[in-house]
Each structure stands twice: as structure tokens, then as C-alpha cells.
Amino acid sequence: MMRDNDTGDSRDGMRVVGEATNQAEAFQAAQKTAPDIFILDLDLRAENGLDFVPKLISSFPAARVIVLTSSTEIEAHQRAVQSGAMGLVLKEQGAEVLIAAIEKVYSGEVWLARSLTASVLSRVSRSSSNNEEALKIESLTKREREIIALTAQGFKRSQIAEKLFISDSTVRNHLTSILSKLELSDRFELVFYAYRHGLSKPPV
């Protein structure tokens, strides 16, 4: 569990605020420390790490989850993403990769290894599509789709306004409409939704 460190006395402004060996310990520690990021080891022996992801997200909605695993099974990665994990890092990758993942996820972006991005998100997109979501997406206007794509690419509201030759307030109004139509709570959820449903291409 990690939080942003304003004092700067830890690496890259991050600090570990708690460690746990099981779900009960994790909940107890998180309630005391309110972490910004959970780093969850999926390779738990006694408990199912995948089942723990949605529990963490529902209990600590302000936090984000990065899963750490030695498994190369795409199905497991897909389940982690569908459960709401914002990042997935393989244990064979170095510490620098984990640091980069933490920084990206903290800023609201999705982190997947390049070798996994296309396969995981394409499967998630196919498996998560249904009539209800299709109807929501069909209700989007052309302009709203453009704004979704630019948002998912990491552009800020003012940058989107400049690119589309519209005002900042117009972009804000469109985003409000988009979140309402898709029943999402914020830009972070919108970015992930766009990847899952083919409204924007994931990073490669």
C-alpha cells in the first residue's frame, strides 16, 4: 500500500504505508493509512487474489489497484482488468517497471505490459460487450465520441478544447453528458471504459 509523499524523503515521492499477508490484514491496514495505491500479489496461496480486487475497490473507491503476478495466463490478466485493476505488472519485470506503473496509475492512466495490452484489452472488450452497454454507446454523439477518444489518449480538457476548436466549458458539458450516459463517475473510469469498449485504442 502506498501514498504520495509530499516530504520527498522516499523514492520518487512515494512511500510504503502498510504491508499485509492476507485480506483481513490489508483491510485493517488500509483503514488506518488510506493508501492511494494498492499493490496486490495475485499469487496468494490461501486466498484468491483475483476475488480480492473488486472488494478493495468497493471498500476504498479513492484508491487504485495494481496487480503483481508471475502468471502469464491471459485469462487471469483479463479477470484482473475486468475486476477493476488499473495496472498489471509481471514479477519478472524489474523494480523500475513497477515504479513506472505506480506513477502512471496514480495519474489516472492504465498500465499494462506492452506485450499484454492488445491481447488483454481486446478480450475484455469482447467479453464485456452486451446489449445494455451497446445501447449506452449508441446514445453517444459524434462529438462525444471524439472527446472520449482524446480523453483516453491523455489530453486535458483545455487541450481537447483547442484541438476541437470549442470552449473549455463546452468540453466540460460534453464530459458531464458522457459520464451520465455511460453511468460512470469520473474521467478515470471513462478512460478504462473507452479501452474496454473500443472507443479508443489502448497505449502500445
Side-chain angles (χ1 to χ4, degrees):
M1 291 174 277
M2 305 193 73
R3 289 191 66 183
D4 181 47
N5 184 14
D6 294 333
T7 63
D9 58 2
S10 294
R11 182 175 181 177
D12 296 321
M14 306 172 193
R15 62 189 175 100
V16 177
V17 295
E19 296 182 20
T21 59
N22 56 52
Q23 295 185 21
E25 288 181 4
F27 273 113
Q28 186 176 18
Q31 288 171 346
K32 294 179 179 179
T33 59
D36 296 311
I37 301 286
F38 286 98
I39 301 175
L40 175 63
D41 189 342
L42 289 188
D43 306 323
L44 298 174
R45 295 180 180 178
E47 299 175 321
N48 189 325
L50 285 172
D51 290 340
F52 194 26
V53 175
K55 294 178 183 178
L56 281 176
I57 293 172
S58 63
S59 299
F60 305 97
R64 292 162 184 172
V65 178
I66 296 174
V67 296
L68 189 64
T69 182
S70 59
S71 172
T72 57
E73 295 182 4
I74 296 300
E75 289 76 12
H77 300 165
Q78 176 189 349
R79 279 194 59 195
V81 171
Q82 286 179 305
S83 297
M86 284 292 290
L88 192 151
V89 178
L90 298 177
K91 289 183 179 179
E92 65 187 39
Q93 297 173 310
E96 293 301 324
V97 174
L98 180 58
I99 293 296
I102 292 170
E103 292 174 341
K104 286 288 187 180
V105 170
Y106 180 73
S107 68
E109 298 182 44
V110 175
W111 177 276
L112 289 174
R114 291 186 177 183
S115 60
L116 302 175
T117 301
S119 56
V120 171
L121 290 181
S122 64
R123 290 191 182 204
V124 170
S125 177
R126 290 196 300 270
S127 63
S128 62
S129 60
N130 54 48
N131 291 335
E132 182 180 352
E133 295 305 321
L135 289 174
K136 291 179 185 178
I137 293 171
E138 286 178 7
S139 72
L140 297 169
T141 66
K142 179 181 178 181
R143 177 65 82 192
E144 288 172 341
R145 288 171 181 263
E146 291 174 337
I147 290 174
I148 290 173
L150 291 171
T151 299
Q153 291 170 30
F155 289 101
K156 297 180 180 179
R157 199 171 66 195
S158 59
Q159 294 173 316
I160 295 173
E162 183 177 350
K163 279 184 169 292
L164 298 180
F165 302 102
I166 56 179
S167 68
D168 185 275
S169 61
T170 299
V171 176
R172 183 179 64 246
N173 291 338
H174 277 305
L175 283 170
T176 299
S177 174
I178 290 166
L179 295 178
S180 176
K181 287 181 178 181
L182 300 180
E183 299 181 5
L184 303 174
S185 60
D186 53 33
R187 286 168 60 103
F188 148 64
E189 289 188 357
L190 176 60
V191 169
F192 204 63
Y193 187 96
Y195 291 158
R196 287 193 297 178
H197 295 282
L199 296 171
S200 181
K201 293 182 179 180
V204 295

